[in-house]
Amino acid sequence: MSQSERLVLATRYRLVSEIGHGANGTVWRGHDDLLDRAVAIKELRLPEDLSEDDRVVFYRRTLREARAPAQLRSTSIVEVYDVVIEQGRPWIVMELIESPSLEDLIERDGPLPPERVAHIGRQLLTALDEAHRSGIVHRDLKPSNVLLDGDRVVLTDFGLAFSSGSVKLTKTGHFMGSPAYVAPEVAAGEKATPRSDLWSLGATLYAAVEGKPPFERENVMATLSALANEPPPPPLRAGPLAPVIDGLLVKNPTRRLTHARATDRLERALNGPRSARRAAPATPRLRLMIVIALVSATVASCGIGAAALIFGMTKAKPGPSPTSPTRKTGSAGQPADAPPPGAESATLLVRAREDGCKIFVSVPGSKLTVLADETLSQGDARKYNQPKLTVVVSNAAACDVWVNGVQKPDGRPGERRTYTVDRSAPDDNSGG
């Protein structure tokens, strides 16, 4: 065990093992002996050549890093517990989150599905809104500072953050932040604002769906040059997230999406456009009832026997009863709403009753496993037998869904539905 690992800070925070390190210091897994809980401890190392004045600036920046998230109350922002000065340098004690970062996930799995990126973006928008309402600008939002703890998305590392009432501590001429994710106006020397954080969010979401940030080049200068002189490349894998990313990556900050507009576009990406969420069209029986009501009113005003006329309407032609509309037939000649072969034994079966049935099927867990992300043609069917699944169905009216052998209710045109499939809990799989 190294000398550092034997160190106990402020007589209570014991270093256990190293989690990671970088140019500015080391992050340790620690234990708070007083409260008997695991913690993360960030050790910040000062460069050897710093002058005494620069050391003072460094300490003040460290305290600012701790104060910024400590002022905020959000599950999407890492919680800071304490700051300790030990061995001539600061240590920040915070919530321990033993989960991969968004950067780790991108490096391991490549581009992520738009549905998952939309969920990440929604929680990051919530975190930024909380920070910005408190006068705090993060200034270094990037995938490595986003932790994914199950469904929870956590924004970390407020080391470059500042509040509207704080003194600017960055040295003149010293570039701070990550070039691939910094807003163009900040790279040009202007003051960081909430809208520059929103640019960084757009670059982060772009990297998540495309596998790399929009202006990443071979070195810092080439990246900054592209940032200043080139338009953002259009995202090719973003799907419904494209309007959100495009709106966040507008170079003019006054024309960039605000929190409210970005949130609205994200909601549309998650739930479909408002125009598609209209009420379902009337069924044949409902249409007949409407016609009967209108005819009844008309003939009554003319003195005609309404009952006789209505009876004649319903009996005029042989055919199926209005209470039993004609059943559509599938590709094999069987009724389209009849369960396909194998539906009873499958945990999930999806069949396209018409073109445009779009599905996203994944296996939940610490590592998301995507089984399908496709649009089915009429008559196509997909069957899955995994005990746990999550399926997102877009344009639900075009899809028939069976979960654990039970057919789910019909959806509306353009409606997005999510089903959680769990063989061990068959009653917990209703669509949302």
Side-chain angles (χ1 to χ4, degrees), residues 57-380:
V57 171
F58 186 90
Y59 285 137
R60 291 174 65 189
R61 184 180 295 130
T62 300
L63 291 175
R64 183 182 62 197
E65 175 180 0
R67 287 176 181 148
Q71 297 172 23
L72 308 176
R73 293 292 180 268
S74 172
T75 58
S76 295
I77 296 175
V78 69
E79 187 174 357
V80 172
Y81 301 141
D82 201 356
V83 179
V84 176
I85 304 297
E86 195 86 40
Q87 295 186 343
R89 57 183 179 271
W91 308 67
I92 300 177
V93 184
M94 61 189 121
E95 174 187 9
L96 176 64
I97 303 176
E98 296 186 278
S99 299
S101 69
L102 178 57
E103 181 179 63
D104 295 333
L105 207 61
I106 295 170
E107 290 180 352
R108 186 185 70 191
D109 298 340
L112 305 181
E115 290 282 351
R116 188 169 193 192
V117 177
H119 169 74
I120 293 170
R122 187 67 185 84
Q123 293 203 40
L124 289 176
L125 267 175
T126 299
L128 288 178
D129 188 48
E130 177 74 21
H132 294 166
R133 287 176 183 273
S134 300
I136 296 170
V137 181
H138 189 282
R139 295 205 297 171
D140 197 26
L141 200 165
K142 56 186 178 182
S144 62
N145 286 337
V146 178
L147 299 182
L148 305 177
D149 185 19
D151 286 338
R152 183 186 176 203
V153 179
V154 187
L155 181 58
T156 69
D157 202 350
F158 279 73
L160 298 180
F162 70 88
S163 65
S164 56
S166 67
V167 179
K168 184 177 180 181
L169 301 180
T170 305
K171 288 184 177 181
T172 302
H174 183 59
F175 181 80
M176 299 293 287
S178 304
Y181 297 96
V182 73
E185 66 271 18
V186 175
E190 297 180 20
K191 181 181 177 180
T193 67
R195 291 203 176 186
S196 56
D197 274 352
L198 291 172
W199 167 281
S200 300
L201 173 62
T204 296
L205 299 182
Y206 185 103
V209 294
E210 299 296 320
K212 63 179 182 179
F215 291 102
E216 185 177 56
R217 301 295 186 269
E218 62 273 10
N219 55 57
V220 172
M221 292 308 298
T223 297
L224 293 176
S225 176
L227 181 66
N229 301 309
E230 300 177 16
L236 303 178
R237 299 182 176 91
L241 271 184
V244 184
I245 295 174
D246 290 341
L248 291 171
L249 293 181
V250 173
K251 293 199 176 188
N252 184 340
T254 63
R255 298 176 59 190
R256 196 171 299 153
L257 288 183
T258 61
H259 282 97
R261 292 179 62 200
T263 300
D264 181 65
R265 288 196 183 184
L266 259 179
E267 293 295 342
R268 293 188 186 197
L270 285 167
N271 302 317
R274 289 193 182 98
S275 60
R277 299 199 296 267
R278 294 173 297 185
T283 62
R285 176 173 174 77
L286 179 59
R287 285 196 294 269
L288 178 62
M289 293 175 65
I290 293 172
V291 171
I292 290 173
L294 292 174
V295 171
S296 298
T298 302
V299 297
S301 65
C302 298
I304 304 174
L309 180 57
I310 293 170
F311 179 79
M313 288 174 59
T314 58
K315 292 293 185 177
K317 294 182 181 180
S321 165
T323 59
S324 303
T326 302
R327 295 162 65 91
K328 294 180 291 182
T329 56
S331 57
Q334 63 184 21
D337 55 353
E344 295 82 357
S345 60
T347 55
L348 170 69
L349 190 145
V350 182
R351 181 178 61 194
R353 65 168 67 177
E354 58 188 60
D355 292 342
C357 171
K358 184 174 181 181
I359 62 173
F360 178 82
V361 183
S362 62
V363 179
S366 57
K367 177 183 177 181
L368 183 72
T369 302
V370 178
L371 301 181
D373 184 6
E374 59 179 322
T375 301
L376 306 182
S377 300
Q378 182 178 12
D380 288 349

